[in-house]
Amino acid sequence: MTSFLNEQTPAMASPAELRALIESRRAVRRFTPEPVPEAVIRDCLELAVLAPNSCNLQPWSFQVIRDPALLAQLHPVCMSQNAARAPLIIAVLARPDTWRQACRNVIDYWPEAEVPARIRSFYSKTAPFQYNQGPLGLLGLFKRQLVRLMGVRKPLMRKPNSKADMRLWAVKSTALAAENLMLAFQSHGYATCPMEGFDEPRLRRVLEIPRQAIPIMLLAVGRQGEKGVYNPRLRFPLEQQVIWR
């Protein structure tokens, strides 16, 4: 586990090194059968969970699939696409349902001898009220009305105040972890392909995914195979997507 002191260490990668890593990442569709070492997988997952996330509640989980029989079951679930023949697939799951345990975990795993009073208060009182939507979302409905009234006088954080908000909340943080995961594998010399093309009900049955978990992608991982990249990179001009103010 990364220590508190290590978190204070300045970043060592240069802008040029970071650019080279990011530019080298492509969605690879064909892989060799060479397995990915467990030590590499573990290192990359450790880097994935260093991603920034809302209130440090880390609303994600991962299923690491290496078993050939299970990978064979996943191939038709992934529409029989070539990338799904990778020797490793990681199911990246957003977890809007784990916030209660996460609030307790922050206190239990706090990296200093004493948990600051403001931290203990936030995760025992403020956060549970903020993220709890209540049975059938009724508490969320109440909070939406409350913030409308209170927001007349001052700026407020108005979400998440519904089950839909909670799903979006979890997906945003998990997507950041997924990007960390892809770049981590790239740094080890392994290619990746984030797959959204899958039959979700069948995926849930094959992997026994918890009902409230949201599969946001299946990440295929391995050594790049011949003709693994289908097309040259295409990105729209920056001027179309950025507003300078």
Side-chain angles (χ1 to χ4, degrees), residues 78-244:
C78 297
M79 325 308 291
S80 299
Q81 57 185 292
N82 285 327
R85 297 185 186 276
L88 167 66
I89 291 179
I90 298 178
V92 181
L93 308 175
R95 300 301 302 267
D97 57 320
T98 58
W99 61 267
R100 286 186 179 86
Q101 183 60 52
C103 285
R104 294 190 288 268
N105 285 347
V106 170
I107 303 300
D108 292 342
Y109 293 105
W110 189 253
E112 298 172 296
E114 293 293 329
V115 180
R118 61 182 177 81
I119 296 295
R120 190 177 293 277
S121 175
F122 180 83
Y123 286 102
S124 62
K125 298 177 182 178
T126 306
F129 178 76
Q130 181 174 325
Y131 292 103
N132 187 9
Q133 306 308 319
L136 303 177
L138 293 177
L139 180 56
L141 176 61
F142 166 75
K143 289 190 292 183
R144 289 198 297 276
Q145 309 312 313
L146 181 64
V147 297
R148 283 196 185 103
L149 293 174
M150 296 179 63
V152 172
R153 295 187 175 183
K154 61 180 181 179
L156 294 172
M157 180 176 172
R158 301 183 184 229
K159 296 184 178 183
N161 281 327
S162 70
K163 292 187 179 296
D165 286 347
M166 289 296 293
R167 290 171 62 88
L168 179 60
W169 165 80
V171 166
K172 286 190 292 184
S173 289
T174 305
L176 295 175
E179 177 70 6
N180 268 22
L181 187 59
M182 287 185 279
L183 292 177
F185 277 116
Q186 189 71 21
S187 74
H188 281 280
Y190 289 91
T192 58
C193 182
M195 297 183 291
E196 292 184 289
F198 53 81
D199 184 313
E200 185 172 326
R202 286 180 168 83
L203 179 72
R204 288 182 175 276
R205 289 197 295 270
V206 170
L207 297 184
E208 298 180 356
I209 293 174
R211 182 177 60 85
Q212 291 184 291
I214 305 165
I216 67 169
M217 70 175 66
L218 295 176
L219 187 65
V221 185
R223 296 288 190 191
Q224 181 172 331
E226 186 177 357
K227 298 182 180 179
V229 177
Y230 285 178
N231 301 298
R233 172 176 279 137
L234 168 66
R235 289 296 183 271
F236 303 138
L238 202 61
E239 290 74 17
Q240 291 185 9
Q241 299 169 319
V242 178
I243 297 175
W244 302 87

Side-chain angles (χ1 to χ4, degrees), residues 35-47 64 66 88 181 184-185 187-188 190:
V36 183
E38 183 172 333
V40 170
I41 300 171
R42 184 173 293 275
D43 182 68
C44 293
L45 288 168
E46 288 175 352
L47 294 175
V64 179
R66 297 173 293 175
L88 167 66
L181 187 59
F185 277 116
S187 74
H188 281 280
Y190 289 91

Side-chain angles (χ1 to χ4, degrees), residues 18-68:
L18 179 61
R19 173 174 283 275
L21 177 65
I22 293 175
E23 287 185 343
S24 67
R25 188 213 60 78
R26 296 295 307 275
V28 168
R29 312 292 178 171
R30 291 188 173 95
F31 300 89
T32 73
E34 177 186 332
V36 183
E38 183 172 333
V40 170
I41 300 171
R42 184 173 293 275
D43 182 68
C44 293
L45 288 168
E46 288 175 352
L47 294 175
V49 300
L50 292 180
N53 59 95
S54 182
C55 285
N56 204 23
L57 294 181
Q58 304 170 49
W60 48 54
S61 66
F62 307 87
Q63 288 196 26
V64 179
I65 300 103
R66 297 173 293 175
D67 177 67

